[in-house]
Structure formats: structure tokens, C-alpha cells
């Protein structure tokens, strides 16, 4: 007897099937499947057996069981309280179905364990959210719990996962499938620059714009483990869960974080658009959904810790004149924080820098028509702080631990600590008209601990309940805590500490596989970049910032008249376009020239788009290769114009039509012939607008 369950939408079908009340396996996941009863599917997929094999191949279930001679990594590794390893063997107990979702429950009487897996398919975004829950009749020690296990296709030669570093987030790694495991485990206790929890599995021939791709994201901020395993019989499984042994005490209930998964038949972009829409429209709760994303100003790279009221007011006035609508006062306003060696956790305004408190600055900023934001790093404590002197036991880790940026992590799982930090932060928020928090997290944990992440989530949730109008930016030395878990409670990410537009171009491009325009902040940095030493023209810096949630971070006093004029103009353009761009999809283009990184941001209706084609180096060939667009209506006519055609260099002597003005061509031409752009310098960007006529 086969039990089966089916989830489907216009894009995909997922069929789960099980025999003899065992845990089910995914017997089909792909484009919409006509008819076919599960019994037939199950039988049709059954692998043959030959010499050297068991008499029947063990199921690759949603939670592979070691006790059934499964030849790969099991879905659960758990011990009794006395340390004895347990090998649960689950049997069907209950099902609960709902619209586009189901929860299946299984029990193992011998170990007293109950396993429940839930699957929910969003028919609009096409994201499948899968989550596992394990309960026990007595406390047990958990080593590993995978979110429900999904198969990976065998028509795939490689997988793409994500690594990075400070100022170089979202680097894509392509790894060939081979027997055994591609194993990523993040034991730092925070999502990290190095370990964005995402995986893309393209089938042979897939690119940004075409082909089949399966994609996964694990929504958890405490560090994950990913297992992409090719079993000896060729089958492939994908497991995602918290990093192993993050539960430090025995317990009776454990949960995986949500695993977000999607199938696409139109390339990496199909997955990217699903993640972008799901994050923006389902996961994030926007305090003021009807308010446009405000142009942001952050004073960090202008003044660092040197907070001086007249200077800050002057900078704020200049930022407002350039078009900024929000001013964020970064690190340096509290305790006696003159550098990064002290005062974290002393969340009271520094009277030396702000003798009358923050209110005069906040008032000045409001008079300029801007809202006000403030920086905190709530999970951290400096040994040189009043709070540490009073409560040295509040810090995690041993006395002899290696510090990170001179700081320790404060124990968020301790209710007393959480209440203290909450009281300090809420007092600041209550006493000032604050619309925005930049929430930083600049070091890793001394040891991974899921309770710390849950404590951080609880603090943010509590503050959000009390101050629902306050927006929060997640930052961790730039992009060190970006995932859908933190984004359930925050709205913006500081994608990278790199304000170098050339680096940003690459980071933003790859991050678009998961993040929509509304979420990653992108700031126009100083003329000489502080993290790379590079000098980049204002036009390039401004347009790269205009690709995402635009902001400035340079000292506006350094701008000459030309730079101020260019920045004001690009900012005006961004404001004129942000309403439709915020709801648009970011589509990565398959550029024929590796020195061109290009994307197309387009409305759902495919009637309006903007293309950014950035040059990250010199090209191998002399003339630009045509750039093919994507997802347009083939027979529609589009009017396309080069927004910044005045930026054409004097070395560009030819006559491509776009240099003179708009062209009107069909969607088919744009998608197959492509756009022939004027010749340009490296470190420059073409911006094109298109409208269906
Ligand atoms: C790291 C952040 O990424 C920066 O933007 C800035 O806020 C500093 N911390 C402040 O210490």
C-alpha cells in the first residue's frame, strides 16, 4: 500500500510517497505533472538491484534513517540522556492537510521520538517552505536534525554554493558532483560572510536565463550545515539544518529552521525571482509598506567615532540637499566610545559629545525633512565597559578567549541579560523620535549555540512589538548576518562594508539570486574608497548605488560641484523610479562578455524595465558584444533609451543608434539580437530604460 501526497502550482509538482507506513520520499519534483497515480510513480522509480547491493535499496526519505541501512547521512543523529546513541525507525501516525500545505507526523515507540515534517507551497512565489520538528517523551541530546530532505537532480554536473569574506560577500562556488559529500558547516554562531546558507543546483546547460535549476535557502542566523550527497547508487540528497551540536543541553523539542526550496524551468532567474518576491512579499514585515524606500545617509565613513554636533548637523544638511531622506548616526554616540576598544553594552548617550542628549540632532534632522536612525550592537560587550565591570559573568566564553574587535559576546540566552539590554535600548527608543535601527554584530561566537540565536531573535521580536514603526537594518561587519531568519524580523541588510562600486557591482549581482532591490542597502562611498583605496568616478559610484536601496556614506563636504550635480541627478532618477523598481524582479543577464556584469530590473507585466550594464574590467575584444535581454513579450515593441548617454567617452567615435536617442524594437530583437552599446571605459556603467509602446 502506497501513501502519497501532492503539492502543486502552475510551475511545479512535488509528490511524496511512502510504502508500509514508512517515512515518505520525494518521488517527483519538477514541472507540473499530468495524472500519474503515486503507486505507479513509486514502482516506476524503484531502482534495480545487482551484485554487491542490498536486496532492496533503502528509501531516500525526507528523513533518512540510519537503522534502515541507509548508505548516506541520516536525517537525525540523537542520543539518550545517558549518551547511548538512538537509531529511530519511524512509523506513520498522522497527516494534516491544508490549502497548499501538509504536515506529516511519525513516531518511534522504542525511542519515544515523534518526527513531524511540514511542507507549504506558495502558489504565487512558487517557494516550498519545509520544516522539521522532533519531540521526545524524555530529554535527549540532539547532534543533528535536517530540515525535510529533498532530492537533487542527476542531470546536474555541478552545484553552486555561496562563500565570501569581509568586503567580498556572495562569491559563488561551482563544485562538480562526485561520489560522497559536498559538506558546508558554519560553526561561527552567526550566518557569516563566509557561509551564506544557499545552494543552487543547475541542470546541464542552465544559465541565468534558461534551463532547469533547483534552489535552496536555510533561514537561520546561527550557522548552518549543508550536505549535498551523491549516494553510491547515484541518488542525490540535499540536507540543511543548524550546525551540528548547537543544542547544548538535553531537551524534549527541537526544530529545524524553515528550508526554502524552489524549482525553476527558466534558469537561475526563475529561482532568484521566487526568492526575491518571497522575501519581499511574504517574509519581511514592512513597518510602513506604503512609504517609498527613503534615500539613506549613513555617517560612518564620514566621521567614524568622531561625533561632533556642528559637523554632524552640517553633514546632515548637505546630505538632505543632495536628496537624502534618512540620516543614520552610526557607532560612537554612547558610553565613551572614542574608538572600537570600549563601551559596547553601555547604551547611554555620551554627554561629552551630546551634552543635551541626541534630541537637538534629531530635531535638526527632522527639520531637514529626514527621519533619524541609530546604530546599536546589542549582542556585544567590551571588557572595557561599565556593564562588563559590574557583570563579567554576562559575557559568553572563557576568561582567556581571543577577543574579536576587542569585544566579547553577551549571553542573550540569559533572561536577565536580555531584559537589561532591552531596558537600555527601549529607553533610548522611547526618549527619541527614532525611526530606524542599524543592528550590528561584529564578531563570531566563542562557540556555536542555538540558544544565543533564539535569544537575539526574542530581543528583536520584543522591541518590534513595542516599536512597530521602527525599521531595522541587519549588519554584521557588512554582510555577516543575511538570511531569511533574521529578515523575518528586519527589513534591510548592510550587504557589505565595501562601498567600492566595482566590488559592489559583483556582490549585488550575486546577492540578487536571493535578495530584491528593497532589501540590500547600497551607498555612494568616498572618492577614494576606504576599504580598497580605489578611486572611482562619482557617476559609476552613484549608478551602482541606484541599483539597490540607494544611500550615501561619503562626507558630503568632499564633493566638488560636478560630483554633487551628478549625485543629485542620479538620486532624482532613483526617486522617480523607485516605486516601480521596488516591486520589480531583478534578472541577471547572460552577458557574452565576462567583463560586463548586467542585470535587467523589470515589472511583473514585462512592460517596463531598466538595464544596468557595468564594466568590471577591460574586454578581450575591441567592440562591445550585443547584450541580450530576457523575459520580454516577443511580439511587443519596446522603446529603449540610454539614460546616461552623455557619459559616452570621446574615444567612442562610431554611431550605435543608442548614442543618439531611443530606439524602438521588438522583444524578440532585444532577447535574441541584443542591445549594441557604445564603447566604454572599464569601471563605468550603462543605464538603459525600456517601455513597452
Ligand atoms: C561595522 C559596520 O559594518 C559598519 O558599517 C559600521 O557600522 C561599523 N561596524 C561601526 O563600528
Amino acid at each position: 500500500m502506497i501513501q502519497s501526497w501532492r503539492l502543486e502550482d502552475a510551475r511545479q509538482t512535488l509528490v511524496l510517497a511512502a510504502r508500509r507506513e514508512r517515512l515518505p520520499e520525494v518521488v517527483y519534483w519538477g514541472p507540473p505533472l499530468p495524472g500519474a497515480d503515486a503507486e505507479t510513480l513509486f514502482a516506476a522509480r524503484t531502482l534495480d538491484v545487482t551484485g554487491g547491493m542490498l536486496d532492496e535499496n533503502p528509501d531516500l526519505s525526507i528523513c533518512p534513517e540510519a537503522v534502515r541501512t541507509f548508505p548516506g547521512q541520516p536525517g537525525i543523529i540523537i542520543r539518550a540522556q545517558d549518551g547511548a546513541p538512538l537509531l529511530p525507525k519511524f512509523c506513520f501516525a498522522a497527516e494534516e492537510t491544508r490549502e497548499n500545505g501538509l504536515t506529516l507526523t511519525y513516531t518511534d515507540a522504542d525511542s519515544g521520538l515523534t518526527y513531524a515534517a511540514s511542507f507549504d507551497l506558495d502558489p504565487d512565489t512558487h517557494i516550498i517552505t519545509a520544516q522539521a520538528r522532533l519531540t521526545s517523551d524524555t530529554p535527549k541530546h540532539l547532534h543533528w536534525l535536517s530540515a525535510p530532505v529533498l532530492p537533487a537532480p542527476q542531470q546536474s554536473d555541478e552545484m553552486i554554493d555561496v562563500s565570501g569574506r569581509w568586503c567580498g560577500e556572495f562569491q559563488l562556488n561551482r563544485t562538480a558532483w562526485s561520489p560522497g559529500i559536498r559538506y558546508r558547516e558554519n560553526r561561527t554562531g552567526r550566518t557569516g560572510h563566509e557561509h551564506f546558507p544557499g545552494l543552487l543546483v543547475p541542470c546541464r546547460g542552465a544559465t541565468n536565463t534558461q534551463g532547469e535549476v533547483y534552489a535552496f535557502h536555510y533561514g537561520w542566523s546561527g550557522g548552518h550545515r549543508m550536505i549535498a550527497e551523491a549516494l553510491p547508487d547515484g541518488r542525490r540528497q540535499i540536507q540543511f539544518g543548524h550546525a551540528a551540536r548547537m543544542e547544548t543541553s538535553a531537551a524534549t523539542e527541537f526544530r529545524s529552521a524553515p528550508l526554502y526550496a524552489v524549482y525553476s524551468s527558466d534558469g537561475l532567474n526563475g529561482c532568484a525571482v521566487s526568492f526575491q518576491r518571497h522575501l519581499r512579499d511574504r517574509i519581511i514585515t514592512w513597518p510602513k509598506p506604503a512609504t517609498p524606500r527613503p534615500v539613506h545617509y549613513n555617517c560612518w565613513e564620514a566621521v567614524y567615532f568622531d561625533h561632533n554636533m556642528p559637523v554632524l548637523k552640517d553633514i546632515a544638511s548637505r546630505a538632505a540637499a543632495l536628496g537624502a531622506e534618512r540620516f543614520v548616526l552610526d557607532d560612537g554616540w554612547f558610553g565613551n566610545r572614542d574608538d572600537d576598544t570600549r563601551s559596547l553594552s553601555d547604551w547611554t548617550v555620551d554627554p561629552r559629545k551630546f551634552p543635551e542628549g541626541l534630541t537637538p540632532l534629531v530635531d535638526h534632522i527632522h527639520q531637514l525633512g529626514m527621519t533619524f536612525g541609530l546604530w546599536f550592537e546589542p549582542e556585544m560587550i567590551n571588557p572595557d565597559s561599565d556593564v562588563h565591570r559590574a557583570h563579567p559573568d554576562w559575557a559568553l566564553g572563557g576568561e582567556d578567549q581571543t577577543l574579536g574587535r576587542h569585544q566579547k559576546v553577551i549571553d542573550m540566552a540569559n533572561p536577565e541579560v536580555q531584559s537589561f539590554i532591552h531596558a537600555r535600548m527601549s529607553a533610548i527608543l522611547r526618549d527619541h523620535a527614532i525611526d530606524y535601527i542599524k543592528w550590528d554584530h561584529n564578531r563570531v561566537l566563542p562557540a556555536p549555540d542555538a540558544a544565543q540565536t533564539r535569544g537575539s531573535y526574542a530581543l528583536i521580536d520584543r522591541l518590534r512589538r513595542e516599536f512597530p514603526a521602527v525599521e531595522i537594518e541587519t549588519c554584521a561587519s557588512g554582510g555577516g548576518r543575511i538570511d531569511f531568519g533574521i529578515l523575518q524580523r528586519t527589513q534591510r541588510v548592510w550587504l557589505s562594508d565595501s562601498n567600492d562600486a566595482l566590488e559592489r557591482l559583483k556582490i549585488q549581482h550575486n546577492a540578487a539570486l536571493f535578495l530584491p532591490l528593497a532589501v540590500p542597502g547600497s551607498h555612494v562611498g568616498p572618492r577614494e574608497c576606504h576599504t580598497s583605496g580605489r578611486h572611482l568616478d562619482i557617476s559609476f559610484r552613484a549608478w551602482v548605488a541606484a541599483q539597490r536601496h540607494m544611500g550615501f556614506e561619503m562626507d558630503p563636504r568632499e564633493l566638488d560641484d560636478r560630483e554633487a550635480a551628478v549625485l543629485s541627478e542620479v538620486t532624482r532618477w532613483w526617486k522617480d523610479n523607485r516605486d516601480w523598481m521596488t516591486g520589480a524582479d531583478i534578472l541577471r543577464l547572460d552577458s557574452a562578455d565576462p567583463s560586463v556584469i548586467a542585470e535587467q530590473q523589470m515589472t511583473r507585466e514585462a512592460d517596463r524595465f531598466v538595464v544596468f550594464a557595468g564594466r568590471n574590467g577591460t574586454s578581450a575584444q575591441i567592440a562591445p558584444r550585443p547584450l541580450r535581454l530576457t523575459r520580454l513579450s516577443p511580439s511587443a515593441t519596446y522603446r529603449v533609451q540610454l539614460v546616461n548617454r552623455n557619459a559616452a567617452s570621446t574615444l567612442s567615435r562610431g554611431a550605435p543608434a543608442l548614442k543618439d536617442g531611443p530606439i524602438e524594437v521588438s522583444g524578440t530583437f532585444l532577447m535574441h539580437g541584443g542591445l549594441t552599446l557604445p564603447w566604454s571605459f572599464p569601471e563605468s556603467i550603462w543605464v538603459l530604460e525600456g517601455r513597452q509602446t
Side-chain angles (χ1 to χ4, degrees):
M1 217 284 273
I2 299 284
Q3 293 175 291
S4 75
W5 299 270
R6 188 174 169 126
L7 290 176
E8 59 197 332
D9 62 16
R11 182 193 288 191
Q12 67 199 326
T13 302
L14 178 85
V15 182
L16 294 160
R19 56 186 168 155
R20 298 197 287 275
E21 308 217 310
R22 292 186 181 178
L23 288 165
E25 59 180 296
V26 173
V27 293
Y28 179 84
W29 182 22
L33 183 71
D37 68 287
E39 194 115 15
T40 308
L41 287 183
F42 199 95
R45 287 182 71 263
T46 301
L47 293 180
D48 203 357
V49 169
T50 182
M53 295 175 86
L54 292 172
D55 295 340
E56 189 177 71
N57 287 290
D59 298 340
L60 199 182
S61 79
I62 56 171
C63 181
E65 296 151 296
V67 73
R68 295 194 193 275
T69 341
F70 182 69
Q73 296 301 303
I76 292 174
I77 303 177
I78 195 161
R79 283 183 289 120
Q81 215 165 358
D82 65 2
L86 298 169
L87 296 177
K89 187 197 285 185
F90 289 107
C91 182
F92 178 76
E95 69 174 2
E96 181 212 310
T97 54
R98 52 189 170 272
E99 197 183 0
N100 299 313
L102 61 112
T103 300
L104 303 175
T105 305
Y106 295 81
T107 51
D108 173 41
D110 289 349
S111 61
L113 287 168
T114 299
Y115 170 83
S118 63
F119 298 85
D120 287 278
L121 172 59
D122 188 309
D124 184 50
T125 66
H126 309 297
I127 291 287
I128 297 168
T129 304
Q131 199 163 1
R133 176 168 174 252
L134 190 64
T135 49
S136 170
D137 52 5
T138 55
K140 295 196 167 53
H141 290 285
L142 184 75
H143 180 107
W144 169 244
L145 171 64
S146 175
V149 175
L150 295 168
Q154 302 208 18
Q155 303 74 9
S156 161
D157 294 325
E158 59 181 13
M159 61 191 108
I160 305 172
D161 58 26
V162 190
S163 62
R165 59 168 166 81
W166 178 71
C167 287
E169 293 82 351
F170 283 90
Q171 299 178 24
L172 302 185
N173 304 298
R174 290 179 180 261
T175 311
W177 282 98
S178 59
I181 295 177
R182 166 80 173 154
Y183 177 96
R184 297 276 314 258
E185 182 148 23
N186 169 9
R187 302 203 61 75
T188 67
R190 76 171 180 185
T191 323
H193 305 79
E194 306 83 4
H195 301 289
F196 176 79
L199 175 69
L200 301 145
V201 184
C203 292
R204 203 164 290 152
T207 69
N208 286 316
T209 60
Q210 61 191 18
E212 287 186 296
V213 184
Y214 293 80
F216 307 84
H217 169 65
Y218 190 66
W220 169 244
S221 315
H224 77 290
R225 174 194 271 191
M226 177 198 92
I227 292 171
E229 183 173 28
L231 301 177
D233 56 40
R235 289 176 296 172
R236 294 168 172 178
Q237 65 158 335
I238 304 295
Q239 295 192 5
F240 272 94
H242 293 13
R245 301 185 307 283
M246 282 194 82
E247 299 296 348
T248 53
S249 13
T252 53
E253 183 179 359
F254 307 97
R255 283 169 197 267
S256 77
L259 173 66
Y260 302 95
V262 67
Y263 161 78
S264 151
S265 58
D266 61 351
L268 295 172
N269 284 338
C271 301
V273 167
S274 285
F275 284 128
Q276 291 169 21
R277 290 184 185 174
H278 200 76
L279 179 59
R280 184 191 58 217
D281 303 338
R282 300 287 188 271
I283 292 191
I284 292 182
T285 45
W286 301 98
K288 295 171 193 152
T291 310
R293 307 299 286 139
V295 175
H296 197 101
Y297 179 80
N298 184 299
C299 68
W300 177 240
E301 292 201 348
V303 298
Y304 293 103
F305 298 98
D306 190 8
H307 289 194
N308 167 304
M309 186 68 101
V311 170
L312 287 169
K313 283 186 172 175
D314 180 26
I315 286 178
S317 304
R318 289 167 188 260
L322 290 163
E325 298 161 310
R326 173 194 281 156
F327 180 96
V328 179
L329 184 65
D330 210 286
D331 193 356
W333 58 268
F334 54 91
N336 58 349
R337 180 94 166 157
D338 294 339
D339 56 35
D340 64 8
T341 62
R342 66 189 101 142
S343 293
L344 288 174
S345 74
D346 291 340
W347 301 116
T348 48
V349 179
D350 182 346
R352 299 168 308 148
K353 295 177 185 169
F354 301 97
E356 295 164 66
L358 293 176
T359 302
L361 179 63
V362 179
D363 287 348
H364 176 78
I365 281 158
H366 285 166
Q367 277 153 21
L368 293 166
M370 292 194 282
T371 56
F372 180 76
L374 194 61
W375 181 95
F376 286 95
E377 196 176 1
E379 290 117 322
M380 298 294 154
I381 184 162
N382 285 118
D384 183 0
S385 66
D386 293 341
V387 175
H388 194 279
R389 278 182 281 277
H391 304 279
D393 54 313
W394 282 5
L396 287 176
E399 289 271 303
D400 60 347
Q401 68 177 284
T402 306
L403 301 181
R405 206 193 190 203
H406 314 283
Q407 64 202 50
K408 296 182 185 174
V409 181
I410 201 165
D411 184 1
M412 279 292 163
N414 176 340
E416 197 190 349
V417 175
Q418 213 186 89
S419 310
F420 176 85
I421 300 292
H422 168 265
R424 288 285 173 99
M425 289 181 75
S426 57
I428 300 277
L429 293 172
R430 247 194 329 272
D431 295 348
H432 304 88
I434 294 175
D435 299 86
Y436 187 84
I437 294 174
K438 178 175 176 184
W439 189 300
D440 213 337
H441 189 294
N442 284 302
R443 64 155 287 176
V444 296
L445 266 52
D449 184 352
Q452 174 73 8
T453 308
R454 286 192 289 265
S456 299
Y457 283 175
L459 176 62
I460 306 175
D461 292 345
R462 185 170 171 193
L463 287 168
R464 286 209 63 210
R465 276 195 302 277
E466 288 163 7
F467 303 96
V470 174
E471 181 172 324
I472 303 179
E473 170 177 15
T474 172
C475 169
S477 305
R481 186 157 61 176
I482 298 177
D483 59 79
F484 288 13
I486 199 75
L487 282 162
Q488 250 167 357
R489 25 191 74 82
T490 57
Q491 293 81 17
R492 191 182 200 249
V493 305
W494 184 225
L495 189 59
S496 176
D497 269 353
S498 177
N499 284 320
D500 177 324
L502 196 59
E503 301 296 335
R504 274 293 179 140
L505 185 70
K506 298 182 241 177
I507 300 169
Q508 289 175 183
H509 190 65
N510 290 342
L513 289 167
F514 300 92
L515 308 177
L517 171 139
V519 175
S522 191
H523 298 173
V524 180
R527 194 180 296 140
E528 177 178 324
C529 176
H530 291 186
T531 54
S532 68
R534 237 183 225 127
H535 287 241
L536 294 167
D537 187 67
I538 187 68
S539 170
F540 186 56
R541 284 184 277 146
W543 280 116
V544 170
Q547 285 185 283
R548 298 293 183 268
H549 181 188
M550 188 174 190
F552 320 143
E553 193 163 332
M554 91 304 279
D555 185 336
R557 294 172 299 179
E558 81 165 27
L559 298 173
D560 62 25
D561 290 349
R562 180 189 71 90
E563 289 169 323
V566 171
L567 184 53
S568 304
E569 192 187 320
V570 176
T571 306
R572 256 194 313 275
W573 179 91
W574 193 80
K575 286 182 176 173
D576 288 346
N577 285 276
R578 65 182 158 190
D579 284 347
W580 75 265
M581 279 168 60
T582 304
D585 300 320
I586 305 174
L587 305 164
R588 293 160 37 109
L589 294 175
D590 290 328
S591 166
D593 180 344
S595 77
V596 174
I597 296 179
E599 71 179 33
Q600 175 183 334
Q601 299 188 12
M602 187 165 72
T603 56
R604 266 183 182 230
E605 298 72 29
D607 59 352
R608 185 170 191 179
F609 62 81
V610 56
V611 169
F612 295 94
R615 295 282 308 274
N616 72 343
T618 45
S619 300
Q621 77 288 342
I622 195 143
R625 296 187 198 274
L627 179 65
R628 284 175 158 205
L629 306 193
T630 189
R631 286 197 181 196
L632 301 170
S633 307
S635 54
T637 300
Y638 291 88
R639 183 181 161 88
V640 184
Q641 63 166 337
L642 204 47
V643 180
N644 57 343
R645 66 176 197 271
N646 296 340
S649 131
T650 48
L651 289 184
S652 151
R653 297 185 291 132
L658 282 165
K659 264 171 83 175
D660 288 336
I663 56 169
E664 289 199 10
V665 283
S666 66
T668 300
F669 180 81
L670 291 169
M671 292 191 288
H672 297 276
L675 284 166
T676 300
L677 293 163
W679 186 92
S680 61
F681 285 142
E683 296 158 7
S684 66
I685 190 164
W686 287 127
V687 184
L688 300 117
E689 285 174 331
R691 289 271 200 144
Q692 191 176 332
T693 59

